[in-house]
Amino acid sequence: MAGYYDNGVHIENLCAVNPKDILIAYGPTKLLVDKYHWHSPKVGVVASYTPKAHDVEDHFGVFRGVDQIEAFVQATAGSLATFLECEKNGWAPTDMKDKLVPSFIGIGTVNFVSYLEEGDTFVMLGKTTYYKFKQMVCEGRIFKAPKGLDLDDYFKNFAEERLFKYDLGPEFTLVSALFDITGRAIDRSYFNR
């Protein structure tokens, strides 16, 4: 059975959890994922975020490119790798927190073609391209979602084939394309030396 147990509850995919319960290394103003809408554990994820006032403070109301990258890292390499490490080791995320530190270690190319502002909901479609030895590499796209769209309903029948093609309706606006986003879970003992 895929997934892991957290306090006796079976978690079979990320859609069953609040992002703050899997991305436990991030405080409330640094967590840049609001919700998971679709997840295939070894393939990829669709998640969303809506920038808040504190995200755009001193940046003219714009959600910066560097913040888009961080949101994408959290939604993909951070969330996907944590889920798989918990599954592989029989841990809950709180158990993992005592053993491993999730780290963003590299980035390939990012192409920004549009921008986001406070209140713009965006979706991150991320797919895993490599996962081994606690290291994960992902690529994907960020799209601005149309206002008022029920994202849970929109993605309820999403499939891997659509993820691979970044297949969304024309009402979504491409914001950025990201390649070779790399995260690694580092043994906590490394930091105690």
Side-chain angles (χ1 to χ4, degrees):
M1 183 184 318
Y4 62 88
Y5 284 88
D6 191 354
N7 293 319
V9 176
H10 182 250
I11 306 298
E12 66 181 40
N13 71 51
L14 288 169
C15 296
V17 299
N18 187 313
K20 70 180 177 60
D21 295 333
I22 196 133
L23 294 168
I24 56 179
Y26 297 92
T29 62
K30 299 299 180 195
L31 182 64
L32 302 176
V33 179
D34 286 329
K35 190 159 190 190
Y36 304 106
H37 302 283
W38 178 88
H39 175 218
S40 179
K42 294 186 175 152
V43 177
V45 68
V46 175
S48 66
Y49 186 68
T50 303
K52 320 298 186 266
H54 67 265
D55 295 320
V56 301
E57 187 177 351
D58 299 326
H59 299 291
F60 309 102
V62 173
F63 190 67
R64 301 174 306 159
V66 68
D67 296 320
Q68 290 179 40
I69 294 167
E70 177 62 27
F72 187 83
V73 169
Q74 289 180 24
T76 60
S79 299
L80 294 168
T82 299
F83 181 91
L84 292 174
E85 285 297 317
C86 288
E87 179 180 68
K88 181 171 75 174
N89 293 293
W91 297 334
T94 51
D95 301 325
M96 186 176 155
K97 182 179 182 182
D98 296 335
K99 297 168 180 56
L100 301 172
V101 176
S103 303
F104 174 33
I105 63 170
I107 186 168
T109 304
V110 180
N111 297 312
F112 298 102
V113 296
S114 190
Y115 66 95
L116 296 161
E117 297 177 296
E118 177 185 351
D120 287 341
T121 298
F122 63 93
V123 292
M124 298 164 277
L125 280 68
K127 55 187 177 182
T128 303
T129 59
Y130 174 87
Y131 175 63
K132 197 170 188 179
F133 305 120
K134 298 183 210 136
Q135 183 164 308
M136 179 172 280
V137 181
C138 298
E139 68 177 44
R141 306 287 183 270
I142 293 176
F143 294 88
K144 182 176 166 183
K147 294 219 181 283
L149 180 66
D150 181 337
L151 294 173
D152 287 332
D153 186 56
Y154 186 87
F155 289 105
K156 71 181 176 190
N157 295 316
F158 203 66
E160 293 174 6
E161 299 77 33
R162 290 188 66 195
L163 176 70
F164 296 146
K165 296 177 186 175
Y166 304 114
D167 179 19
L168 297 180
E171 65 273 24
F172 287 85
T173 304
L174 178 64
V175 175
S176 54
L178 305 95
F179 303 91
D180 296 325
I181 303 298
T182 306
R184 181 169 178 80
I186 299 172
D187 291 325
R188 188 166 286 284
S189 61
Y190 176 82
F191 297 100
N192 298 330
R193 294 180 187 170

